[in-house]
Amino acid sequence: MKSLIVYSSQTENTKKLADVIYDTLDGEKEIFQVDQDPSLEGYDQIFIGFWFQAGKPDPKTLGFLEQVKDSKVFLFATHGAAKGSDHVKNAVNTARELLKDVDVTGVFTCQGEVNPKVLEKVKQKPEPPVWINDAADAVGHPNQEDFTALKQALTQL
């Protein structure tokens, strides 16, 4: 099996998940940052990782998702919001909606520690984002427990 791992990571949280996927997968595999714009040809499975911005995948990933066609895709993401929250569900649904003629074989999300400078900036907004109260719980994530859960999710492929 030949796998492609593509990720976007602002604070290295999503990169950590991409590295776990790379280290866990058997077979031929390649890993790229999304802005390297890798070719999508010739892969049996594509893993696409992103972080959230304004309640959806980051802008670089949004553009990349629109290019993916006729593939098997596993989505993974990090975020400051509580796992399973509507914020997370909506962002993942946005990613899924951009994937046309694609078999989404799995989704994994976990909290990722939010950059303190970003936290301070968003706290100053007249209407802070819905995830702001969950951000304290994201400190230290992704952690070993998250990595173990990701590996478990990969066994389901």
Side-chain angles (χ1 to χ4, degrees), residues 16-34:
K16 289 175 185 175
L17 298 183
D19 289 340
V20 168
I21 292 169
Y22 184 86
D23 292 342
T24 302
L25 293 177
D26 291 327
E28 193 176 340
K29 55 198 168 186
E30 294 186 282
I31 187 169
F32 294 94
Q33 291 181 14
V34 72

Side-chain angles (χ1 to χ4, degrees), residues 63-112:
F64 185 79
L65 289 167
E66 292 174 339
Q67 300 174 38
V68 181
K69 308 277 188 256
D70 301 318
S71 301
K72 290 183 178 179
V73 173
F74 182 96
L75 297 170
F76 62 101
T78 58
H79 46 81
K83 189 171 181 174
S85 67
D86 286 343
H87 185 73
V88 172
K89 291 175 188 174
N90 292 337
V92 170
N93 285 339
T94 297
R96 283 179 178 266
E97 289 169 4
L98 291 171
L99 295 168
K100 306 291 185 210
D101 301 318
V102 170
D103 177 13
V104 178
T105 60
V107 175
F108 178 84
T109 75
C110 71
Q111 285 189 299

Side-chain angles (χ1 to χ4, degrees), residues 5 12 18 24 27-28 36 40 49-50 54 60 64 72 89-90 94 96 102-103 110 112 115 121 133-134 154 156:
I5 304 151
E12 301 298 306
T24 302
E28 193 176 340
Q36 291 176 288
L40 300 171
F50 52 91
K60 290 179 183 178
F64 185 79
K72 290 183 178 179
K89 291 175 188 174
N90 292 337
T94 297
R96 283 179 178 266
V102 170
D103 177 13
C110 71
N115 181 322
K121 186 176 177 180
N133 292 329
D134 300 326
L154 296 174
Q156 306 302 312

